[in-house]
Amino acid sequence: MEPFNNIMFTNLTTVIVMMIIGWTISILYRNVTVVDSLWGLGFVLIAWITLFLSDGYAVRRILIAVLVTLWGLRLSLYLTWRNWGKGEDPRYGLWRKKSGDRFWIVSLFKVFILQAVVMWCISLAPQYGQMSASPNHLTRLDIVGVCVWTAGFLFESIGDWQLARFKSEPGSKGKVMDQGLWAYSRHPNYFGEFLVWWGLFLVVFATPGSWWTIFSPVIVTVVLLKMTGIPLTEKTITSTRPGYLEYVRRTNAFFPWFPKKEGG
């Protein structure tokens, strides 16, 4: 078994190299959006490197790798499909405009290396869980964690599928998606991702001394609620969808709940 620090360093180095390769591709095609496809994939790489280099309890080690892989590959494939042939994401285009000729090097650190480091920090929880040799059996926390993860995975997957189907319909441009899961939450896919990472934490929390790994789902929660998740998504959406303010009035932003009634 490799020492804990060696495995963590190997994982960090791997995702940085992966992101540098992605950065090189982004320069060739003048499109930084490629980084979105690498986000989920990086977690998968970390999970499998840890699986093979560590000597923790085998069943939990494999379980965590499988959960991370299902989530990460689905997200990576979905974002690749969604972004294919659509040019650079406007948020990156704005950064490109502000940075001018320096964007090629600014993007390396502001986009790619930064995401590699954040990805590695978030993945410290599953890494620790995979490396732990005890308990050498699955516990109730493992089971509860898998159940929470499953609910989140379904919520995120179904939410993405419903939105993609809505956008593919003729005449949907400029309209508000308020059907299916989107009738109960303005961001059901983000809520699903929130559950995925809290579920993973519960699996990890079944191992001794893992209390500190709570910062992993906390980071994900803060990013979704306060940074690049809901705030960035809703920043300009009200100007492009006239009915969005009414949708905001009646629909919870994050946690799913029944829509508010007229005059409620």
Side-chain angles (χ1 to χ4, degrees), residues 138-167:
L138 294 181
T139 69
R140 290 179 181 177
L141 269 178
D142 291 296
I143 297 172
V144 172
V146 171
C147 290
V148 172
W149 179 94
T150 301
F153 183 76
L154 291 174
F155 231 91
E156 185 173 13
S157 302
I158 294 172
D160 283 340
W161 173 73
Q162 289 178 337
L163 182 61
R165 186 181 63 173
F166 172 77
K167 288 184 174 181

Side-chain angles (χ1 to χ4, degrees), residues 13-51:
T13 303
T14 300
V15 292
I16 287 177
V17 170
M18 180 194 72
M19 285 299 193
I20 290 175
I21 293 173
W23 170 70
T24 303
I25 295 173
S26 77
I27 292 177
L28 294 175
Y29 288 92
R30 288 185 59 81
N31 191 339
V32 175
T33 310
V34 66
V35 74
D36 292 350
S37 299
L38 298 178
W39 176 253
L41 190 59
F43 288 97
V44 175
L45 284 175
I46 289 174
W48 284 92
I49 290 172
T50 308
L51 173 66

Side-chain angles (χ1 to χ4, degrees), residues 3-170:
F4 182 69
N5 290 342
N6 288 358
I7 295 175
M8 290 194 300
F9 179 76
T10 299
N11 287 332
L12 178 60
T13 303
T14 300
V15 292
I16 287 177
V17 170
M18 180 194 72
M19 285 299 193
I20 290 175
I21 293 173
W23 170 70
T24 303
I25 295 173
S26 77
I27 292 177
L28 294 175
Y29 288 92
R30 288 185 59 81
N31 191 339
V32 175
T33 310
V34 66
V35 74
D36 292 350
S37 299
L38 298 178
W39 176 253
L41 190 59
F43 288 97
V44 175
L45 284 175
I46 289 174
W48 284 92
I49 290 172
T50 308
L51 173 66
F52 287 113
L53 294 184
S54 64
D55 195 27
Y57 172 51
V59 175
R60 185 174 293 104
R61 206 165 79 234
I62 295 171
L63 173 63
I64 291 174
V66 169
L67 295 180
V68 171
T69 299
L70 289 173
W71 169 80
L73 280 185
R74 188 213 69 86
L75 182 63
S76 181
L77 290 172
Y78 169 72
L79 291 177
T80 300
W81 170 80
R82 188 190 69 179
N83 296 332
W84 193 265
K86 294 185 178 179
E88 191 168 64
D89 189 301
R91 55 187 168 152
Y92 298 132
L94 182 61
W95 290 352
R96 183 184 294 277
K97 185 177 180 180
K98 287 183 178 180
S99 301
D101 294 338
R102 298 183 300 108
F103 184 71
W104 70 276
I105 190 64
V106 169
S107 65
L108 172 61
F109 296 98
K110 187 176 181 179
V111 179
F112 290 89
I113 299 298
L114 176 61
Q115 289 203 27
V117 173
V118 172
M119 176 194 307
W120 177 78
C121 289
I122 293 173
S123 69
L124 283 175
Q127 286 180 74
Y128 184 85
Q130 287 180 291
M131 293 181 205
S132 179
S134 61
N136 60 354
H137 59 274
L138 294 181
T139 69
R140 290 179 181 177
L141 269 178
D142 291 296
I143 297 172
V144 172
V146 171
C147 290
V148 172
W149 179 94
T150 301
F153 183 76
L154 291 174
F155 231 91
E156 185 173 13
S157 302
I158 294 172
D160 283 340
W161 173 73
Q162 289 178 337
L163 182 61
R165 186 181 63 173
F166 172 77
K167 288 184 174 181
S168 69
E169 295 175 355

Side-chain angles (χ1 to χ4, degrees), residues 190 194 220-231 253-255:
Y190 291 160
F194 163 86
V220 173
T221 303
V222 171
V223 169
L224 291 175
L225 293 178
K226 300 296 183 181
M227 298 172 68
T228 60
I230 293 175
F254 192 67
F255 293 102

